[in-house]
Amino acid sequence: MTHIGRKLSFVAVFITATVVNGGNLAFGQTAGEIPPILVTPDKVESRIGTLEFKDGAPSPETVKKVYDTLDFTRALDVFLNSYGGASAYAIRKGLLSIGAEDNTVTLYPELMDSKSLFLTANADTVYYFSIVDLTKGPIVVEQPPMGVGTINDMWFGWIIDVGFPGPDRGEGGRYLLLPPGYDGPVPEGGFYVARSKTNRVIYASRGYLVDNDPKPTVENIKKNMKIYPYTPGGVGTSIATALEGKVRLESNPPLPETRFLEASGKAFNTIPPSDYSFFEMINANVQAEPADSYNPELAGQLAAIGIVKGKEFKPDDRMKKILTDAAAVGNAASRALNWRSSGPHPDWSYYPDSMWGNMLWEGGANFETPPPMITKEGLFAPLPPTGARTLDSKTAFYFGYTLDSPGMIMRLPKVGSQYLMGFLDANKNDLDGGKTYKVTLPKDIPAAAFWSFTLYDNQSRSMLQTPQGYPRAGSQSYPSPAAEADADGATTIYFGPTQPEGVKRGNWIQTMPGKGWFTLLRLYSPLEPFFTKEWRLSEIELVP
């Protein structure tokens, strides 16, 4: 037989076998026979117990197990994937509890202390933030000069940066925030225009101290910070544009007074619950925002457990129990990812075999692609997109931290700040408030502006409450004494329940027996040795 004949014969056999076997069965298989890989046994052992079938049909008991598992899995996904939305809602709820209505600027003239329950806030800078209400139309936010901040929607979706990382580059400017679906006139100039997917947004900024004094910073904020409605056809619209007939020329009305509420020393909570009520909070956020303000995948997970825009959330007793269990497991998962990330996520460690890390280095601020590299010419060199969401880093980040911005994680010296998180000591043990530890920072700490450590309570992820009030140490002399360097130029910081003998007050942060804690090292205006890792601090070492 010729080569062509053999080939045609093979094709004929293949086609015959395919037709006989329905296009799926293997060669040599009898017509009508089901492949073993498609057969479901009468009993299957699984992590949810024994699953029973009658010739492939699931028993009523198996159906119940499967539906319970599906509901639990989707509820767990909601907890892990929507924590940012619950956190945004909790911030607004906390601000309302102290009288900070929407469009009010909450200001910390004496910095934030440990009385406020706020996820990993610092005690180094003057915070000023606001929930901006866009339900009645576009709003203008006038950003003061010398600020560092961002604007997020109510799902912690990044909208635009303000201050030094934003388009005003620290000189201040007017930001025009457009509500969802806005199709009205937009000014030709004079504003940095940003569009929100949600009816409200979180404006959050901070100012650095001036010569270790917050007062000049506070004065700058009160003088220049403004929030007011936008006037279409007013400043920013030329007469030529008005002549086109699409917008009427208007004079800007007198600006309404911006309300400030000073919150230093106030006790209030801005953190989502970790029990069943978490789902009630996320439902409240869903009802307050447009149905398309979050992605369809998350909307599908929410809908699967009964949280749907425009519908009452009313789970029965069975579903409440499942949601309660899902919240418990979700809380445990979030804590496991933060406290024990170095095993499954070694790339979160900043240095090889180190307990210091930051989950944002894995997928950047968008939890997908690591932050860009910097060329020798100082240009950003974006890394190729991975196309995959880094789900664990997203869960861990939103559980312990607030807001999102590309400026939070970038390899650019002298801009913004960088963070290293420490949850374990050098022996990979939890940090015990009844013991004393130390960290050594070699000389030439790579922070052009200043640096600090802040301690946080394991339970609340807020500043650790101790008699010190401000659980921090660093290069600034306010609100606690500045840390002092050793004779060799290195700086050693101690953490313990009592001030070690011979250690200066500025080099000691108090802990509390019976309370677990973790810490963040902040480098403000970080320098190149941090990014090249030529400079490396010690691990958190137990003092004998």
Side-chain angles (χ1 to χ4, degrees):
M1 184 180 292
T2 65
H3 172 71
I4 294 177
R6 288 195 299 272
K7 187 174 182 180
L8 290 174
S9 177
F10 173 80
V11 172
V13 172
F14 175 78
I15 293 174
T16 302
T18 301
V19 172
V20 169
N21 294 321
N24 292 309
L25 305 186
F27 284 117
Q29 192 165 336
T30 303
E33 181 181 351
I34 299 175
I37 59 173
L38 300 183
V39 174
T40 299
D42 290 345
K43 287 189 177 182
V44 177
E45 298 300 329
S46 76
R47 67 184 301 116
I48 64 172
T50 302
L51 306 178
E52 298 180 337
F53 304 87
K54 185 176 181 180
D55 193 27
S59 68
E61 293 79 9
T62 293
V63 170
K64 182 181 183 305
K65 289 178 182 178
V66 168
Y67 275 112
D68 284 352
T69 301
L70 285 174
D71 286 338
F72 172 81
T73 301
R74 288 160 178 166
L76 178 59
D77 282 340
V78 165
F79 188 98
L80 299 179
N81 296 333
S82 70
Y83 202 92
S87 189
Y89 188 89
I91 290 174
R92 179 172 184 257
K93 186 176 180 180
L95 294 177
L96 290 173
S97 73
I98 60 171
E101 300 290 333
D102 293 348
N103 300 338
T104 298
V105 179
T106 303
L107 176 65
Y108 286 82
E110 297 174 14
L111 309 191
M112 190 181 292
D113 61 24
S114 59
K115 292 180 182 179
S116 299
L117 296 181
F118 204 105
L119 291 176
T120 51
N122 70 63
D124 306 316
T125 62
V126 178
Y127 278 113
Y128 51 109
F129 43 79
S130 178
I131 304 297
V132 181
D133 183 4
L134 305 177
T135 57
K136 296 178 182 178
I139 293 289
V140 177
V141 174
E142 292 197 9
Q143 167 69 20
M146 306 302 292
V148 181
T150 192
I151 299 175
N152 279 197
D153 67 24
M154 294 304 290
W155 295 95
F156 276 166
W158 177 72
I159 298 175
I160 192 171
D161 285 334
V162 299
F164 284 110
D168 71 89
R169 301 297 296 274
E171 295 184 6
R174 291 179 295 187
Y175 288 79
L176 175 59
L177 304 177
L178 304 179
Y182 179 78
D183 60 357
V186 176
E188 300 157 59
F191 298 84
Y192 303 112
V193 181
R195 188 178 294 273
S196 173
K197 292 182 179 180
T198 55
N199 296 321
R200 292 177 175 83
V201 302
I202 302 177
Y203 164 90
S205 192
R206 61 188 191 271
Y208 295 166
L209 307 189
V210 178
D211 296 328
N212 294 301
D213 185 358
K215 292 185 180 64
T217 306
V218 172
E219 292 172 1
N220 172 46
I221 296 167
K222 287 186 173 181
K223 178 181 178 182
N224 295 293
M225 178 78 199
K226 296 179 178 63
I227 299 177
Y228 53 88
Y230 169 66
T231 302
V235 172
T237 301
S238 69
I239 294 177
T241 296
L243 291 175
E244 297 174 0
K246 297 179 181 179
V247 60
R248 185 175 63 185
L249 281 177
E250 296 285 358
S251 297
N252 280 47
L255 298 185
E257 183 178 353
T258 299
R259 181 178 178 234
F260 290 88
L261 188 148
E262 296 186 358
S264 289
K266 289 186 179 294
F268 64 103
N269 177 38
T270 68
I271 303 172
S274 293
D275 58 11
Y276 164 77
S277 61
F278 171 89
F279 296 99
E280 295 177 319
M281 179 170 283
I282 202 66
N283 175 66
N285 204 31
V286 167
Q287 303 308 327
E289 301 300 340
D292 59 354
S293 63
Y294 42 98
N295 64 63
E297 288 74 20
L298 177 56
Q301 293 169 2
L302 290 161
I305 62 172
I307 297 177
V308 180
K309 172 74 174 180
K311 294 185 178 181
E312 183 181 10
F313 176 53
K314 196 174 181 180
D316 57 19
D317 290 343
R318 166 190 165 274
M319 196 63 185
K320 280 186 178 180
K321 183 179 185 305
I322 288 175
L323 294 175
T324 300
D325 290 345
V329 176
N331 176 61
S334 302
R335 291 176 178 276
L337 289 169
N338 272 292
W339 271 261
R340 292 291 192 278
S341 63
S342 58
H345 296 287
D347 50 337
W348 292 10
S349 296
Y350 194 64
Y351 305 103
D353 194 30
S354 174
M355 296 301 101
W356 294 108
N358 186 326
M359 71 286 293
L360 292 181
W361 290 107
E362 178 186 23
N366 65 350
F367 306 101
E368 188 266 329
T369 300
M373 304 298 290
I374 303 294
T375 67
K376 293 181 179 179
E377 294 76 26
L379 298 174
F380 285 107
L383 297 172
T386 65
R389 190 75 66 208
T390 55
L391 295 176
D392 286 351
S393 66
K394 182 172 181 283
T395 293
F397 180 78
Y398 284 138
F399 187 75
Y401 316 92
T402 59
L403 300 165
D404 200 357
S405 163
M408 298 180 72
I409 191 76
M410 56 183 176
R411 298 179 172 93
L412 189 60
K414 296 185 180 180
V415 176
S417 51
Q418 288 297 328
Y419 312 84
L420 289 179
M421 306 151 187
F423 289 89
L424 305 172
D425 69 13
N427 296 316
K428 301 184 180 180
N429 295 318
D430 294 325
L431 300 168
D432 186 337
K435 298 178 180 178
T436 300
Y437 303 83
K438 68 176 181 178
V439 169
T440 301
L441 297 88
K443 66 177 182 177
D444 300 325
I445 299 171
F450 57 98
W451 62 270
S452 75
F453 281 107
T454 307
L455 299 197
Y456 299 98
D457 187 309
N458 280 355
Q459 293 285 6
S460 68
R461 294 93 73 204
S462 298
M463 279 189 264
L464 186 67
Q465 295 185 351
T466 72
Q468 284 183 335
Y470 298 95
R472 65 165 304 274
S475 56
Q476 292 187 153
S477 60
Y478 184 94
S480 58
E484 298 181 31
D486 301 325
D488 61 359
T491 303
T492 303
I493 303 297
Y494 290 81
F495 315 96
T498 58
Q499 186 172 344
E501 185 176 350
V503 172
K504 299 291 181 63
R505 167 63 185 84
N507 294 64
W508 167 63
I509 309 177
Q510 189 173 23
T511 61
M512 298 295 288
K515 289 297 302 177
W517 57 274
F518 65 97
T519 188
L520 261 69
L521 169 65
R522 288 178 169 88
L523 302 172
Y524 294 88
S525 299
L527 299 174
E528 191 166 342
F530 172 76
F531 297 104
T532 61
K533 303 182 183 180
E534 297 172 52
W535 181 89
R536 175 176 175 171
L537 73 168
S538 76
E539 299 299 302
I540 302 174
E541 301 168 342
L542 182 64
V543 177

